[in-house]
Amino acid sequence: MTPIFIDSAEQLATHLARWDSAEFLAIDTEFVREQTYYPILCLIQISDGGDNVCIDPLAISNLEPLFEFLRQSSAIKVFHAASQDLEIFVRLAGACPQPLFDTQIAAAMLGYGDQLGYAGLVSKMMDVQLDKSLSRTNWARRPLSDKELAYAADDVRYLAQIYPRLRDELQAKGRLDWHSQDCINLSLAERYQAAPELEWRRLKGLARLSARAQNVAAAIAAWRETMAEQCDRPRRWIISDEALYALAERQPERIEQLSDLLVLPPKTIEKHGAILISLIQETQSQDKPALIEETRADEARKQLLKRTLDKARAIAKELNIPPSLLAPRADIEALVDKAGAADIALLNGWRRQVAGNTLLSILP
């Protein structure tokens, strides 16, 4: 089926009126972000189960009528692995489309697979092998070919067919409420808004550093995020993780010493050297505690963690869901270390009912 291409406000208004009575809308986006901090929205695909529409946001200057419709309409907004799409909507519209149905989450809850990709889900449920040869298309280029538009529209054409089946299977298994809880959490706008002071959480292996080095790393990560956002450039273009760690560990005291690290380009030193030295000195003077403590795995804790992990996996197996959907290892470790005080999904909603209380009872 040839998709409908919309590149004017008048065409968009016609379809918004048509969709007003839709039960659901399958939605996907195409974007580019290789050279920017923020993704550049290049195409919005929507299917109501009949028409498959490709909307050109590069041609339509005012998308607010669409954003308002997606916030206010009672139609279920169906996405697959929605996070990246929702980040774009929050950036441009300030909120996520509501109410939300994520087919990747639904597939995991129904035992189809953990973090199953869209093509894999279509293959399993529709016995259709999607052509992925155009996955690296430059979606910002115009005009888009008929083949490219058909490729993009396939991302919602099959999604519209899969959604009712997944919804009905969740209902039959008594897990539709589980899914609703997860989708409500997924569609909280604050999940997709930059919080520079928390960017240190992206850093891997931070616990191996001293308390002072951890805080230096956190200060530089926060500065980097703010700069990347302001300049609309990828954070790695501001300063790489390798350079960030080197600065945190070595903590140079003068600009001249930055070159000795062999991780910063001369232009970066010239442009940002003074502020990096200032951040290091300021953080050193504050003498803050460690952001994260490296857990010393004594034998008792090892055994308790193993018992808790084994029980969590057994519960997940009995429910026929991936263990990571129930609780990733990091959550189990937090539970072992902090018990009921752990701030983890496992101790809330359906997860607490089916596993959290049982796992708490294992703890001393």
Side-chain angles (χ1 to χ4, degrees):
M1 181 184 297
T2 303
I4 299 169
F5 185 64
I6 292 179
D7 60 359
S8 73
E10 293 74 21
Q11 291 173 296
L12 179 59
T14 297
H15 277 82
L16 291 180
R18 190 173 301 168
W19 290 330
D20 195 48
S21 59
E23 177 189 356
F24 68 88
L25 295 172
I27 306 171
D28 190 38
T29 65
E30 304 295 346
F31 57 89
V32 295
R33 71 181 312 172
E34 287 78 10
Q35 299 183 22
T36 58
Y37 176 84
Y38 294 110
I40 301 171
L41 180 61
C42 299
L43 204 65
I44 305 171
Q45 306 98 279
I46 299 181
S47 176
D48 60 2
D51 291 336
N52 304 308
V53 173
C54 293
I55 301 168
D56 186 358
L58 302 182
I60 303 174
S61 59
N62 181 18
L63 290 171
E64 183 53 35
L66 173 62
F67 295 147
E68 179 68 15
F69 177 84
L70 294 179
R71 288 193 299 266
Q72 300 298 331
S73 165
S74 62
I76 304 295
K77 316 309 185 303
V78 183
F79 292 84
H80 184 84
S83 294
Q84 288 188 318
D85 302 301
L86 298 182
E87 178 187 355
I88 294 174
F89 282 106
V90 170
R91 161 69 176 160
L92 297 178
C96 297
Q98 302 276 1
L100 183 74
F101 188 102
D102 190 307
T103 53
Q104 187 179 69
I105 296 174
M109 288 182 173
L110 294 168
Y112 284 106
D114 185 19
Q115 296 185 334
L116 187 63
Y118 178 68
L121 183 60
V122 171
S123 176
K124 283 194 173 187
M125 297 196 69
M126 306 294 297
D127 196 25
V128 171
Q129 307 304 314
L130 291 178
D131 175 15
K132 303 305 291 182
S133 62
L134 298 178
S135 60
R136 295 192 177 276
T137 293
N138 177 6
W139 296 104
R141 178 185 47 77
R142 293 295 184 273
L144 293 170
S145 69
D146 290 345
K147 185 176 181 181
E148 288 167 336
L149 290 173
Y151 172 91
D154 277 351
D155 285 345
V156 291
R157 178 156 69 100
Y158 294 109
L159 194 59
Q161 299 174 51
I162 286 170
Y163 159 67
R165 291 176 54 182
L166 291 175
R167 176 201 59 202
D168 292 348
E169 288 183 39
L170 287 170
Q171 182 70 54
K173 281 184 169 287
R175 296 181 181 180
L176 197 55
D177 183 57
W178 292 12
H179 187 270
S180 296
Q181 290 177 37
D182 280 13
C183 285
I184 288 171
N185 290 331
L186 185 65
S187 59
L188 296 174
E190 54 264 33
R191 291 174 62 102
Y192 310 99
Q193 294 165 338
E197 69 279 5
L198 299 179
E199 278 303 305
W200 61 268
R201 294 179 178 177
R202 290 180 183 270
L203 302 175
K204 306 299 183 184
L206 201 64
R208 64 179 172 81
L209 302 182
S210 67
R212 178 171 291 178
Q214 286 184 27
N215 282 283
V216 170
I220 295 173
W223 166 81
R224 177 179 67 174
E225 196 70 13
T226 300
M227 287 295 299
E229 186 177 8
Q230 289 176 352
C231 301
D232 195 19
R233 289 292 181 263
R235 58 179 65 86
R236 69 182 183 278
W237 286 20
I238 308 299
I239 183 173
S240 68
D241 280 359
E242 179 190 8
L244 187 154
Y245 271 113
L247 288 165
E249 291 178 309
R250 299 281 292 278
Q251 298 175 32
E253 298 177 353
R254 300 186 307 276
I255 293 179
E256 297 76 24
Q257 295 175 318
L258 294 176
S259 298
D260 297 338
L261 299 177
L262 303 178
V263 291
L264 291 171
K267 287 185 177 180
T268 299
I269 296 174
E270 179 182 352
K271 189 173 183 179
H272 302 305
I275 185 63
L276 290 170
I277 294 298
S278 176
L279 283 169
I280 292 169
Q281 292 175 343
E282 181 181 352
T283 306
Q284 287 174 332
S285 68
Q286 293 170 348
D287 197 26
K288 294 180 178 179
L291 293 165
I292 183 170
E293 297 285 354
E294 188 169 18
T295 304
R296 300 293 180 181
D298 59 57
E299 190 59 34
R301 183 185 182 276
K302 282 183 181 178
Q303 292 303 317
L304 180 58
L305 178 60
K306 183 180 184 304
R307 288 198 303 273
T308 310
L309 281 168
D310 287 346
K311 184 60 176 178
R313 289 166 182 154
I315 294 172
K317 183 177 181 180
E318 184 178 349
L319 295 170
N320 192 29
I321 62 175
S324 61
L325 177 66
L326 184 63
R329 182 186 176 96
D331 282 12
I332 299 296
E333 290 187 349
L335 185 73
V336 166
D337 292 333
K338 300 179 181 179
D343 182 17
I344 52 176
L346 180 62
L347 296 183
N348 293 285
W350 68 268
R351 289 176 176 81
R352 177 151 194 158
Q353 294 175 1
V354 303
N357 289 329
T358 298
L359 297 177
L360 279 172
S361 69
I362 295 175
L363 305 180

